[in-house]
Amino acid sequence: MTFGSNLVAMVTPMNPDGSISEPAVAGLVEHLLATACDGIVVNGTTGESPTVTDAEAAHLVGLVAARAPVIAGVGTYDTASSIRRARDAEAAGASGLLVVCPYYSKPSQAGVIAHCRAVADATALPVMLYDVPARTGMSMTAATLTELAGHPRIRAVKDAKGDLFEAMTVMATTTLDYYCGIDELNLPYLASGAAGIVSVTGNIVADRNAELIRAVRDNDLATARKINASLLPLTAALMHGEGGAAMAKAALAELGIIPHPTVRLPLTEPSTLDQLRAALATVSA
């Protein structure tokens, strides 16, 4: 297993003016490490990657890589740009790359394969593919994933598609490590053989996620179900409605882990925090 198991899709802490807060980044990383996170995804969806500049992205990787293993999100809709981000991330100290299915353009599956191979060929770093059709407008098919598994540096998949049967099939027929990228489905993916999770809720409860992973590995499904049930209110609050990066930042600010919940447009801060506050109360109870 190349990337660890309890990965967190880290938010990008910002000052009220929208600039990146280096002290808040450092504090958040320390919080994640103290709560059993064993790998941090930087510049992913939850890190607001579409509005982070190339220079900021490389700087963020360097800040976090000085303290923890980093899987750097480098995928864009443009292969040349993705290659530049990949090389910048490698130079900044990343341990691996996260490469999203190209979005907006809706290339053919042959184009997806060529794009991912080109990025994987650009550095010596291991690659985790990121399949998230709700955001990209298209999926990586099972045949595409199987073909990409033949590349020596393509090692894993962050699956935010939610097709568990397809995931089990690809796991059974390739050496790819699967990571659940949908917090709502962490338990069934782990029970089906996933190597780990890439979690948004982990910004808040990486320690509880670690317990869930351990319980599944110990074949203690009763405990795993109990842990999973205890996390459902928080998962619902973070991942639905105005969820994702904005709600995760709001939760971290509510807990005092980051000072500000600022997000960059077109994201906006949540209009209400009632559900989130109630969920946070259940987690801390």
Side-chain angles (χ1 to χ4, degrees), residues 221-240:
L221 289 182
T223 296
R225 292 188 193 105
K226 183 177 179 180
I227 296 166
N228 187 67
S230 74
L231 293 173
L232 292 179
L234 180 63
T235 301
L238 291 181
M239 303 307 298
H240 297 284

Side-chain angles (χ1 to χ4, degrees), residues 115-133:
H115 171 88
C116 294
R117 283 177 172 164
V119 179
D121 285 341
T123 80
L125 297 177
V127 170
M128 178 185 291
L129 304 173
Y130 182 16
D131 191 9
V132 57

Side-chain angles (χ1 to χ4, degrees), residues 89-165:
E90 182 179 42
S95 301
L97 305 176
L98 180 71
V99 179
V100 72
C101 182
Y103 46 91
Y104 190 78
S105 299
K106 288 191 176 182
S108 66
Q109 291 296 308
V112 173
I113 291 168
H115 171 88
C116 294
R117 283 177 172 164
V119 179
D121 285 341
T123 80
L125 297 177
V127 170
M128 178 185 291
L129 304 173
Y130 182 16
D131 191 9
V132 57
R135 293 184 180 275
T136 63
M138 62 179 298
S139 299
M140 297 179 178
T141 66
T144 290
L145 293 167
T146 300
E147 185 161 348
L148 287 170
H151 192 288
R153 282 186 292 282
I154 295 177
R155 310 282 183 80
V157 179
K158 177 187 176 184
D159 185 348
K161 179 160 52 185
D163 185 338
L164 189 54
F165 182 75

Side-chain angles (χ1 to χ4, degrees), residues 200-248:
V200 177
T201 64
N203 281 280
I204 319 302
V205 288
D207 50 352
R208 302 293 290 278
N209 285 342
E211 293 171 2
L212 176 66
I213 293 165
R214 189 179 308 113
V216 174
R217 287 182 175 173
D218 290 344
N219 293 316
D220 185 357
L221 289 182
T223 296
R225 292 188 193 105
K226 183 177 179 180
I227 296 166
N228 187 67
S230 74
L231 293 173
L232 292 179
L234 180 63
T235 301
L238 291 181
M239 303 307 298
H240 297 284
E242 298 174 280
M247 198 63 82

Side-chain angles (χ1 to χ4, degrees), residues 19 27 37 40 46 50 54 89-90 93 101 147 152 169 171 182 188 194 199 205 224 236 240 272:
S19 61
C37 167
I40 298 177
T46 310
D54 288 359
E90 182 179 42
C101 182
E147 185 161 348
T169 301
M171 280 189 274
I182 306 176
S199 173
V205 288
H240 297 284
T272 177

Side-chain angles (χ1 to χ4, degrees), residues 179-201:
Y179 289 78
C180 182
I182 306 176
D183 275 300
E184 299 94 317
L185 298 178
N186 283 341
L187 175 55
Y189 267 77
L190 290 167
S192 298
I197 62 177
V198 179
S199 173
V200 177
T201 64

